[in-house]
Each structure stands twice: as structure tokens, then as C-alpha cells.
Amino acid sequence: MAEIDLSAVFDAMPVGCAVLTNDLRYVTVNRAYERLAGQPRERLLGRHFYEMFPGGPGGHGISDVRASLERVAAEGETEVMPLLRYDVERADRPGDYEERYWSVRNAPLFDSAGRVIALIHRAEEVTAYIKQLHQGHPSGEPAAARVEAVEAELFARARELQDVNQRLHQAQEDERRANAAMRDALRRQQQAVADTSHDLRGPLTGLQTRLQLALTDPEADSQEVLHAALHDADRLGEIVTDLLELARLEAGAPVQTETVDLARLVEDELAGREPDVAVATRLERGLLVRGSAIRLARLLDNLVSNAERHAGSRVEVRLSCTDGHAVLEVLDDGPGIPPGEREAVFRRFYRRPDARSREPEGTGLGLAIARQIAGAHDGTLHIADRTSGTCMVVRLPLSPG
């Protein structure tokens, strides 16, 4: 199929079309628009719409056209205007205006980010038809009544067409958002598969190597090989368990919920730990949230474990209330996290170099799971600004009762 010159198509369209900037200056027009305007395009381009079409001494209809164009520029919605009149100055007799009637449609032109960058102004003249209606009719019906009836009918049809256009535009927007969401989901799934493959490869390779050694080396210590293989299997089990938990959280799988006393949950979880550093608490009592006690305990455990890995000598857990939310903070006195990495640490399998050196066996999924759990409880998890160390902040909406 031969390549089509779209500019030639635009210029050959039988209906008058113009492209305007958002402040209503002409960018281009087609030949049909030149004929309607009675002006060559060289005189139109760069000029303001108001300047070229003042609307005659009475300003017939022009204020409606201006208002429509300004709404389209501001709101990004196509408008089909009812039949209207605005007069055009005669080219051969300046100051003398000719009565004209028009059917007008104004539409936005968007850039790739969805911003309105230009306006398409389409005008079709129906002056001859309206003048014919004003002439005598064999039925004896007054001309004014016929004109009024036709104008009402045209207005109704134009409104219907505008409604259809708006629904079509909304459907296109919905489809665009759905496609974008699907592409984003596919991208995340591909990244997750790549990350998972990378982190599973290590323990799988170790397990295969040890088993091959046991089969090929008769002098190998079978107990040592089996213990090492069991270690690799445990490592695989931890990763798979965390991945399954992430999958359940991302899928929004329903879980049993209850009213959870956060202060009591923190105390119960910390009582069963054997930390390598001092862990202090400062807890406000009576803060209740609705959710899964098991998952909230997992969130707390992941944050405290992460703090213990990076702390110099101390971890503190605080619980308070702000603006109808329970605020759980887990602080450590470690080296802190640079601002540029504060979002990256919540990605699955992301591990900072100091974390790998302190605990090589970590899965790199703990903070990703913690953020998913917070989100599943209509809450948030982020890293707060701090002069030293790290402060993880969880906000959860309080239960009404």
C-alpha cells in the first residue's frame, strides 16, 4: 500500500478545519476553511481567532464559540455545538458583515502524556439551508416557527452526538489505562521471574555440586555433604516461602481478620526474640487496628530483623497515634540508607552491600513483604529522614471500635 500524505488529506477535506494553539492562535487551516473564512491561510496563520472573527457589530454567536474553545483547552473534552450564527466581514467591503450560520465542533489534540497541546476547530456552513427555511412554505406554517423547530432538533441531535463522543472518549481512556496497567503488570512479572531465577540459581547450584561430589568422590564425607545439602535446601525453602507469601499478598487473597492490639502484638513478638543488640520500646497503649495478626507480626518481625542486621548497638520500637492512624516506627543506630536507595530497598531481592556482608543468607524479600502487608491493611511503609541510622515508619488506620 502506497504511503499516504496526511497533510494532503487534511488540506483536501471538504469540511473546514483549523488547528489552534491553546491560546486560540491559528497554526494551520485547510483549503475549505480558507473558503469559509474568506481569507487566505497566510493572513490567518499566527493570528488570534478573536481577531479574525469578531462576530460583527452584534457579536452574534462568537462568544459561544470562544467559550467552547476555552473549555476544550481547559478540560480536554470534545464539544459539538448547536446550530449558531456568527457573521463574517466581507473581504471586499471592510466593516460590512454578512449573515452566516454554522455547525461547529471543537476537539482537543493531546501529546503522549495526555496534555492538551492544540485544538481542532471544525466549522461547516449551513447558511443556505437556514435562509431557505426563512422563505415561504406551501404549508402556510410561519417561517419563524419552522426555523425554531429545526434549530431545536439540530440542538438535540448535536447534544446526542456530543454525549456519544464523550462516551467514546471515556472508553478510549479506559482502554488506554487498562493497556498501560497490563503492560506494567507484565513488566513486573518479567522482572520478578528474572530476579527469582537469579536468587534461586545460587542454592540450586550448590545443592547440585554437593550431590555430584557425593556420587563421584568415594572419599567424600557423606555427613558433611548431607549437612551442606540440607543447608542449601533450607535456603531454597525460605526463598520459596517468601515468594509464595508475596504472591498471596499481591493477589489480594482473603485472610481472616480481627481487631489487633498493636502494643500487645509488639510485646509478644519481641518477647520471643534473642537479639544480638539491645531492643528498647516506647509504646502508646490502646491502639487497635483491623487486620491479620499473623501478617502484622510478620511485618514487625521483618522490620526488626532488618534493623538488627544494620544496628551498631541499639534498636528501638515506637508506637504512637497521629491523625487517626497508628504509627509504628522501628529505628536503628546503624549507618543509615542513602536517600537514593530508600525506595530500592523495598524491591524484591534488592540487598545493599552491607546487608549481604552481615547476613549472606538473607532472601532479600523481607522489606518487599513488609510493604505489601502494610498496603494490604490500607497502610503505608516508608523510610523517614534521619540524621543517623534508619527509621522505618508504618502507618495503619485505627479501627473504629
Side-chain angles (χ1 to χ4, degrees), residues 196-212:
T196 303
S197 299
H198 178 271
D199 273 69
L200 288 175
R201 190 176 297 119
L204 276 174
T205 301
L207 185 59
Q208 290 172 335
T209 300
R210 301 182 206 288
L211 294 177
Q212 288 172 354

Side-chain angles (χ1 to χ4, degrees), residues 148-168:
E148 185 177 346
V150 171
E151 287 182 343
E153 179 66 17
L154 288 174
F155 179 78
R157 298 288 80 79
R159 294 300 302 176
E160 290 176 3
L161 180 58
Q162 184 175 0
D163 290 342
V164 170
N165 287 334
Q166 288 176 343
R167 289 197 296 271
L168 178 59

